[in-house]
Amino acid sequence: MSEEKLMTQPKIQKYVFIALLVAQGVIIGLLERMIPFPFAFAPGAKLGLANLITIVALFTMPFRDSFLLLWMRLILTTLLGGTLSTFLYSAGGAVLSYLGMLLIKQLGPKRVSIIGISSAGGVLHNVGQLLVASLIAQSWTVMLYLPILSFIGILAGIAIGISANYLFEHVRTLNYLKANYAHMQTQKKRQRHVRHLKESHYDKN
């Protein structure tokens, strides 16, 4: 096999993996629309069940790829039957949830579990949707729904976290990708630490 093929093969595998996750996220998003939302103030708001795909992406691929996946899922879901309000609610909830889970994930597996990350993401998803609803309604009274929606978000987040744990434990490919990504992150931290020590040594000299 030529050197060019060796270099392009991992990229092809990466793109196929992203495409599969995007497709699964779109399907979950379309199915989620069939679930009626209990609050009439935000007709485009949803529970955020597609966060399952976001969590899988967070633990198996770098920031740039997972963020690209998030936007591809949002855009395709909207094109396949959504509206502008649906996109705004979905984007507000998904982006805030993604960024929050990404930050909390930095605490490490010893401090917070996947279920904890997912629960936080569920709450932030609803916070993002409420912020969008407040901007659309031009009133902050919408935020009064936050306690109820936070409780719903925690329950949904726990369910999604349990599902993610199950996938990582029983799907061999995901388990391998998760372990490989964790190893890469550890290597990068070590390299940064060594570089920092060298720079400190040079500064002292």
Side-chain angles (χ1 to χ4, degrees), residues 138-195:
Q138 296 183 347
S139 173
W140 292 104
T141 56
V142 174
M143 299 301 292
L144 294 174
Y145 288 98
L146 183 57
I148 301 174
L149 290 181
S150 295
F151 178 72
I152 296 175
I154 290 173
L155 293 180
I158 291 173
I160 291 171
I162 293 173
S163 300
N165 267 332
Y166 181 85
L167 289 176
F168 283 128
E169 289 177 2
H170 293 84
V171 179
R172 185 177 302 175
T173 302
L174 290 181
N175 191 17
Y176 168 76
L177 291 172
K178 180 186 175 185
N180 187 50
Y181 179 64
H183 177 70
M184 290 174 57
Q185 294 297 101
T186 302
Q187 291 294 105
K188 288 181 180 179
K189 288 181 180 179
R190 289 178 179 174
Q191 291 174 0
R192 285 196 297 264
H193 181 65
V194 171
R195 192 181 303 117

Side-chain angles (χ1 to χ4, degrees), residues 47-68:
L47 292 173
L49 300 181
N51 268 349
L52 173 62
I53 302 302
T54 303
I55 291 175
V56 171
L58 282 175
F59 283 88
T60 55
M61 61 181 66
F63 168 78
R64 184 173 62 180
D65 293 337
S66 59
F67 198 61
L68 173 64

Side-chain angles (χ1 to χ4, degrees), residues 48 50-51 54 58 63 66-75 86-103 120-121 123-129 131-132:
N51 268 349
T54 303
L58 282 175
F63 168 78
S66 59
F67 198 61
L68 173 64
L69 182 149
L70 177 71
W71 282 104
M72 289 177 64
R73 175 176 64 80
L74 290 172
I75 293 171
T86 301
F87 176 77
L88 291 175
Y89 284 121
S90 298
V95 172
L96 186 60
S97 175
Y98 171 85
L99 295 176
M101 290 191 295
L102 183 65
L103 289 175
V123 174
L124 291 172
H125 183 87
N126 287 320
V127 171
Q129 291 184 132
L131 289 174
V132 172

